[in-house]
Amino acid sequence: MALIKNKVTQHLVEETFDSIDSAKNSFLNNNETEENKISAIDYLINNSSMLDVLDILMELTVDENDIKHHVYIDLVFSNFVNTKKSDADFEAMLQMLKSKNVYLRNMVIKYLQENGTDARVFIKRLMENPDKDLRIFAINILGDVRFEESIEMLRYFIAQEDDINAMMTAIDYLGEIGSCDDIDLLEAVKKEHADDPYVVFGADVAIERLRG
């Protein structure tokens, strides 16, 4: 039995489900009330894997930006923070970054920004993604969260990256959080891209920052 306090209506509602399937069907039923949907997702959170919950949430929000879905997204992610994560969970979050639902994408971004250490494996995977925009996104998250391995991950990325825009995003962050030990790497980048004024200028700016 799931007992939930609805954040919107502030009513206590009680809804009984006899199986995960019945809760899923209730949650995905467009004719259900918000209270019953909240009870359903609460039941699913407590009785199925987080991956299943994320998949069901994606199924609900796949092609919509309905403000009525925000309360369900909030509820799932508030529980996700305190749940042990698997690689499959982070893979589901990667799919959410491609969602048409803006609020859902922003919630994933917020989670990664606030839980960078927990998400480092996921961020590393993003940094190796064939999609350069996702690699740039990963660098932005990495530069913002700044956990212990951030600098070393940025150094490796700069040395391996072929896309100029992605590489320069990493150089910009390295200029903010790196040290004088990184100047040799940036000088090597300048030498390799001596004919590209954008790279040379960006590397020089980062070097000046590191020198203080």
Side-chain angles (χ1 to χ4, degrees), residues 74-85:
D74 290 342
L75 181 58
V76 169
F77 274 87
S78 66
N79 282 273
F80 187 65
V81 169
N82 299 316
T83 303
K84 185 177 180 180
K85 317 300 184 301

Side-chain angles (χ1 to χ4, degrees), residues 139-181:
I139 294 301
N140 285 329
I141 296 297
L142 189 64
D144 289 341
V145 297
R146 302 185 185 188
F147 52 79
E148 186 176 348
E149 296 177 18
S150 291
I151 296 175
E152 191 58 40
M153 290 169 69
L154 285 173
R155 290 168 178 162
Y156 182 80
F157 184 85
I158 291 167
Q160 301 293 320
E161 181 57 39
D162 293 326
D163 182 82
I164 295 298
N165 289 328
M167 181 183 70
M168 293 309 298
T169 301
I171 285 175
D172 186 54
Y173 276 112
L174 188 64
E176 293 181 7
I177 67 176
S179 68
C180 288
D181 293 339

Side-chain angles (χ1 to χ4, degrees), residues 20-84:
I20 290 174
D21 284 342
S22 66
K24 178 180 177 180
N25 291 337
S26 180
F27 181 64
L28 295 175
N29 186 344
N30 291 330
N31 295 320
E32 280 287 5
T33 64
E34 181 182 89
E35 288 87 352
N36 284 349
K37 282 178 174 284
I38 290 175
S39 293
I41 198 66
D42 182 62
Y43 178 92
L44 291 167
I45 288 170
N46 288 292
N47 292 278
S48 62
S49 70
M50 184 52 66
L51 177 60
D52 287 339
V53 174
L54 294 174
D55 286 343
I56 292 166
L57 186 64
M58 274 287 289
E59 190 173 343
L60 176 72
T61 62
V62 62
D63 290 318
E64 298 185 41
N65 280 294
D66 193 334
I67 193 171
K68 291 183 294 186
H69 293 161
H70 292 187
V71 64
Y72 316 130
I73 296 171
D74 290 342
L75 181 58
V76 169
F77 274 87
S78 66
N79 282 273
F80 187 65
V81 169
N82 299 316
T83 303
K84 185 177 180 180

